[in-house]
Amino acid sequence: MTVVTRFAPSPTGRLHVGNLRTALHNWLLAKHHGGRFLLRIDDTDKERSREEYVEAIRADLAWLGVHPDGEERQSARFDLYEAAFAALKDAGRVYRCYETPQELELKRKVLLGRGLPPIYDRAALELSEADHAAKASAGEAPHWRFLLDRDKPIEWTDGIRGPQHFDPAQMSDPVVRRADGSWLYMLPSAIDDSAMGVTDVLRGEDHVSNTATQMQMFTALDASPPRFAHEALLVGSEGKLSKRLGSLGIDTLREAGIEPAALVALLARLGTSDPVDAGLDAEALAASFDLSHFGRAPARFDEEDLHRINAAVVHAMSFAEAAPRLPHGMDEAAWLAIRPNLAHLGEAADWWQVVTGPIEMPAFDEDTRAFLSGAAETLASLEWSGEVWRDLTGTLKDSTGRKGKALFQPLRQALTGRDHGPEMALLLPLIGRDEALARLKFATA
Ligand code: GLU
């Protein structure tokens, strides 16, 4: 059977790293099995769903390189939900309720006060047809609950958490439809997972108790449930689900210079026992993707790790890959010289500026100015070649007796305006003879 996975965001906001990780894992799981990955837009909530978020979700996934094999929208599937709902009604698996939130809260408090679990008491099941008719003529529309089968223990083997047991007698019948006819998430999701042939639902562990309820929904719908796996949630480096993490999305990361490949490499392996490896592409990550490598402990997302991985991704980037994003005129030799110094690709422009000038240099003391003046003369007398840095420093070492930092640092500062940077042996040929002489002369002026 072809593996079918899905990512089912509600378009009520932007995706954050936690959602992106879930999307990525579902894509990798499908890819691993040569299956299909669906994007399902859970937009039953007309008030809160926004088209701009649907577009942002698509764009964010595309930026990551996660390409769905199909896209579905719940707002286009209301007929299907009505039909399934009618069947559940006929089978007596959904029932009408009228309690207000205040009444429900009171019931909860009474139960808790008696030391009992706050399970819905099914009072509405006792209503007669005459009661319902009276409610209707008073203009009171019902909301609907799904009737759990309290005699059937709920069990499944979770792909990450192992064997799971839930006692439906300890659960409240969930509300599946509001009085205005709108749907809550749970039933449409089960209907869709079944209708779309979803074989594997991989989502956050905050959904475990929903799964317990949905297991019975699948049975009530005459469908066999998909396999379920629930991954531990993402926490920040400080070990908590921080506010920052809850809102950290692709825009912020992209502005910070993060490459999609770096984010994919990190998120793919976060929460697993597999090491993060910046050198792995999506194919390799999919090939090694394995739910049994996931742990139960919260997965720590550390932005510093991400920046470290990003640097590794940039350091491995070929000129052809980087070229479209490099400053005009920057060639392969320049890319190869500058690349090892980059944490983010955007910094290439700064180093290219160092090559082409103008640069700012520090003021040098008299001694250093004399040394740099000699350096200018030496450089003018040397044959200009790819070895010119070696020749220049070799000659100056002999003529001045300087070595180490005393020899190299003033030259680097005068030629680049910086204390550190790419190898001078590579930079000097890029700067060029005339410009290099001009800089040395300027330093001694
Ligand atoms: N729309 C639901 C959510 O965003 C989907 C959950 C699921 O994957 O079933 O939480």
Side-chain angles (χ1 to χ4, degrees), residues 6 8-10 40 42 185 189 193 201-203 207 214:
R6 85 316 190 259
S10 304
R40 191 184 79 203
D42 281 6
Y185 142 77
S189 181
D193 284 337
V201 172
L202 170 57
R203 56 188 180 183
H207 280 289
Q214 286 177 320

Side-chain angles (χ1 to χ4, degrees), residues 378 382-383 385-397:
T378 306
L382 286 173
E383 193 174 333
S385 77
E387 307 298 330
V388 67
W389 174 253
R390 190 200 60 192
D391 297 346
L392 175 67
T393 51
T395 311
L396 289 172
K397 189 175 173 188

Side-chain angles (χ1 to χ4, degrees), residues 172-338:
S172 286
D173 292 336
V175 176
V176 290
R177 202 167 186 183
R178 299 183 190 90
D180 64 2
S182 64
W183 300 97
L184 279 99
Y185 142 77
M186 247 182 316
L187 185 59
S189 181
I191 294 169
D192 281 342
D193 284 337
S194 156
M196 292 171 190
V198 170
T199 59
D200 292 82
V201 172
L202 170 57
R203 56 188 180 183
E205 67 184 5
D206 50 332
H207 280 289
V208 171
S209 61
N210 288 340
T211 298
T213 304
Q214 286 177 320
M215 290 303 268
Q216 286 210 352
M217 289 181 177
F218 284 106
T219 312
L221 292 164
D222 251 337
S224 47
R227 288 180 287 263
F228 279 95
H230 296 86
E231 48 186 31
L233 298 181
L234 216 56
V235 295
S237 48
E238 68 288 357
K240 289 193 303 242
L241 186 69
S242 64
K243 233 181 162 170
R244 168 151 178 86
L245 203 55
S247 64
L248 185 62
I250 293 227
D251 281 356
T252 311
L253 295 172
R254 181 158 48 183
E255 265 164 42
I258 297 300
E259 301 293 323
L263 190 58
V264 166
L266 178 64
L267 291 183
R269 293 266 166 107
L270 212 58
T272 75
S273 53
D274 301 317
V276 175
D277 181 344
L280 297 183
D281 62 8
E283 299 302 321
L285 290 169
S288 58
F289 188 82
D290 190 334
L291 288 179
S292 73
H293 296 179
F294 279 78
R296 296 279 301 264
R300 269 171 200 264
F301 178 84
D302 187 340
E303 275 185 79
E304 276 181 28
D305 282 347
L306 183 58
H307 286 278
R308 198 173 39 73
I309 296 158
N310 197 70
V313 165
V314 172
H315 297 168
M317 210 180 267
S318 70
F319 176 63
E321 281 174 276
R325 292 158 62 198
L326 295 178
H328 183 72
M330 191 169 157
D331 62 9
E332 184 161 14
W335 169 246
L336 295 178
I338 287 169

